[in-house]
Amino acid sequence: MQLDNASLEQLREWESQLATQYQAILAQKLNLDLTRGKPSAEQLSLSDALDGILAGNYTAADGTDTRNYGGLDGLPEAKQLGANIMDVDAGNVLVGGNSSLTLMFQVMLAAYQFGLKDAASAWKHEGEVKFICPVPGYDRHYTVCEQLGIKMITVPMTSTGPDMDAVEALVKSDTSIKGMWCVPKYSNPTGVVYSDETVERIAKLGLLASANFRVFWDNAYSVHDLIDNAPKLANILEATRRHGTEDSVVQFASTSKITHAGSGVAFVAASAANLAGIKKFLNTCTIGPDKVNQIRHTRFLPSKEALTAHMTKHAALLNPRFEAVLSALSKAFDGTDLGAWEKPVGGYFVSFDTRRGCAKETVRLAAEAGVKLTPAGATYPYGKDPEDRNIRIAPSVPTVPEVIGAMEVFVTCVKLASVRNAITQQA
Ligand code: PMP
């Protein structure tokens, strides 16, 4: 199916065939859900040994009684777990509570209100504050900016990461830009891994940008590979050290999609100066994080090897679901002009771009047919996808037959929305 050169007559014929197929789907009264980027119950069960793993032994390697208050920056062995996940030195890691999103919000708030370096470095002194958001991206990042009144400036995501020409031009020309969101490995939602060149250029942004510029490097999917020889993300901390820009990047990760999503452990990795600023802020928020959960996690995942073996079990559950999505898209759309997508080899999402102006209608048609999709626009700041093209597909929770069924509906809805849109353009 090629819509660009199709005659009106041909489009009308396709529309009639697709409408019949769609009616047949409606009659099935399906109830399927591709919205949620969270682990399935089977995946969560992989970590059930966490429960009771301490068997009464609450003492950390350094003798800390983990049941008590204190330890603002985390147990040494928990820092090592974070270091294993983020590929940094344990000395650069701070261990928080259960959510990296909370840490991202807290670091953003600290940078805005109190300054990570000192009071004078607080972004609030600089009038309007802007953040670069590669799009499509993660909606909860946008909510953090929105809550703090930080204006979001979009740049396109490419298959190698954010469009770095656009990013560099922005930071050079606009001193109110104070940072940038990045999901560098298996980005949410496009699933791309930033290339070595992209990582290098991001590490150098600190040389081009105005003072107190911070990249928020949300490495939520750093060990979430679906294949054995997974692409390797270049080490941003080492790159910033080479360029003398260590303070310009703050990294985040968590075990949310490694162990139990709601009761994992979250981490920050940053320069000594940034860690000091973050700790100063956290010291007013808490007497210390949940160290019992930290030590449970370190006993469950005591080494890099244990972590890798554990993630292989997740991959075995996720792989057939991703295959179901990708093969349905290939079968329906290879060689057509109906859509574009990446083929992620890790993470939680497949991101599909429809033809211009067709995403909302596709999501609406799918919803009517009993297949819930993330609302179109959610992957853009303020919920507005200017070209109305992007749809995020999250296949982790449904069973494989459910994913296959939902994708049959999805491709029919994309085709129907596209053909109807093309008819309107021609009529
Ligand atoms: N960052 C990204 C890119 C995510 O996709 C998610 C989960 N959807 C999170 C952060 C949330 O992480 P946490 O559970 O550690 O708050």
Side-chain angles (χ1 to χ4, degrees):
M1 204 180 252
Q2 287 281 349
L3 301 193
D4 279 343
N5 300 316
S7 66
L8 193 53
E9 200 185 357
Q10 171 71 80
L11 290 173
R12 289 209 166 113
E13 195 184 318
W14 280 333
E15 199 276 340
S16 143
Q17 288 165 3
L18 287 162
T20 310
Q21 284 174 27
Y22 183 69
Q23 287 305 320
I25 291 169
L26 285 182
Q28 294 176 36
K29 300 207 177 316
L30 299 169
N31 183 14
L32 301 168
D33 190 336
L34 290 179
T35 60
R36 287 163 313 175
K38 59 184 195 181
S40 64
E42 267 174 297
Q43 285 179 270
L44 296 170
S45 297
L46 296 173
S47 304
D48 286 351
L50 279 168
D51 188 21
I53 199 167
L54 297 184
N57 178 4
Y58 293 96
T59 311
D62 65 355
T64 300
D65 183 342
T66 57
R67 298 168 302 180
N68 221 325
Y69 272 142
L72 187 67
D73 56 355
L75 297 171
E77 53 266 63
K79 289 185 188 184
Q80 187 55 53
L81 172 60
N84 292 347
I85 293 172
M86 293 192 279
D87 198 15
V88 295
D89 299 328
N92 289 102
V93 178
L94 176 146
V95 194
N98 74 316
S99 160
S100 61
L101 187 67
T102 303
L103 285 172
M104 291 177 232
F105 180 76
Q106 288 175 320
V107 174
M108 185 79 82
L109 177 61
Y112 186 89
Q113 189 66 28
F114 308 109
L116 288 178
K117 206 161 90 195
D118 52 32
S121 71
W123 296 338
K124 70 173 177 187
H125 299 307
E126 305 201 24
E128 186 167 54
V129 174
K130 296 182 195 143
F131 239 66
I132 298 176
C133 300
V135 289
Y138 179 38
D139 55 351
R140 286 177 180 273
H141 288 164
Y142 308 148
T143 319
V144 169
C145 283
E146 232 182 315
Q147 176 97 58
L148 290 170
I150 295 172
K151 190 167 171 196
M152 291 173 267
I153 310 292
T154 61
V155 297
M157 272 297 279
T158 74
S159 57
T160 54
D163 175 343
M164 288 309 296
D165 289 342
V167 170
E168 287 164 359
L170 278 167
V171 300
K172 274 196 253 177
S173 64
D174 187 344
T175 55
S176 60
I177 289 179
K178 289 294 157 207
M180 170 175 173
W181 284 110
C182 292
V183 182
K185 192 165 170 195
Y186 308 132
S187 101
N188 179 349
T190 59
V192 311
V193 180
Y194 290 12
S195 68
D196 292 356
E197 190 202 333
T198 300
V199 174
E200 184 70 8
R201 288 172 77 175
I202 291 175
K204 283 159 87 171
L205 287 177
L207 303 172
L208 308 174
S210 62
N212 307 312
F213 176 87
R214 295 289 183 281
V215 173
F216 278 51
W217 191 257
D218 177 3
N219 210 348
Y221 301 107
S222 59
V223 291
H224 302 58
D225 307 315
L226 292 175
I227 57 170
D228 282 343
N229 285 317
K232 207 171 153 15
L233 178 70
N235 190 309
I236 187 111
L237 185 59
E238 282 170 14
T240 55
R241 280 184 183 142
R242 274 200 314 278
H243 297 297
T245 54
E246 214 183 323
D247 290 344
S248 69
V249 178
V250 183
Q251 304 189 51
F252 302 89
S254 77
T255 65
S256 290
K257 284 166 184 161
I258 297 175
T259 60
H260 290 168
S263 45
V265 179
F267 310 93
V268 177
S271 68
N274 282 332
L275 286 180
I278 294 166
K279 273 200 269 187
K280 191 166 173 222
F281 172 81
L282 288 179
N283 195 36
T284 60
C285 302
T286 178
I287 308 174
D290 179 351
K291 297 182 301 304
V292 173
N293 197 32
Q294 289 183 11
I295 199 169
R296 286 186 332 128
H297 275 77
T298 62
R299 300 248 169 100
F300 184 63
L301 298 169
S303 63
K304 261 192 183 165
E305 291 70 30
L307 178 64
T308 308
H310 183 70
M311 294 315 292
T312 306
K313 297 180 195 160
H314 280 285
L317 293 169
L318 287 170
N319 249 325
R321 290 167 168 85
F322 272 76
E323 267 167 38
V325 173
L326 293 171
S327 68
L329 293 179
S330 266
K331 205 169 135 220
F333 302 123
D334 274 353
T336 75
D337 57 2
L338 272 78
W341 67 98
E342 299 285 341
K343 297 178 181 60
V345 289
Y348 266 67
F349 306 103
V350 177
S351 163
F352 185 81
D353 281 329
T354 64
R355 288 166 70 87
R356 228 173 241 234
C358 295
K360 272 203 183 105
E361 179 59 6
T362 299
V363 171
R364 190 192 68 76
L365 287 169
E368 266 187 23
V371 174
K372 281 198 202 83
L373 295 165
T374 308
T379 50
Y380 281 71
Y382 314 107
K384 288 194 190 109
D385 173 356
E387 298 196 333
D388 185 26
R389 295 186 63 197
N390 188 248
I391 300 174
R392 186 181 86 167
I393 299 169
S396 55
V397 176
T399 62
V400 176
E402 284 173 340
V403 177
I404 293 171
M407 288 308 294
E408 275 170 21
V409 179
F410 178 78
V411 301
T412 306
C413 294
V414 171
K415 289 179 190 171
L416 189 55
S418 311
V419 170
R420 285 184 176 159
N421 181 275
I423 291 173
T424 327
Q425 312 264 310
Q426 279 204 23

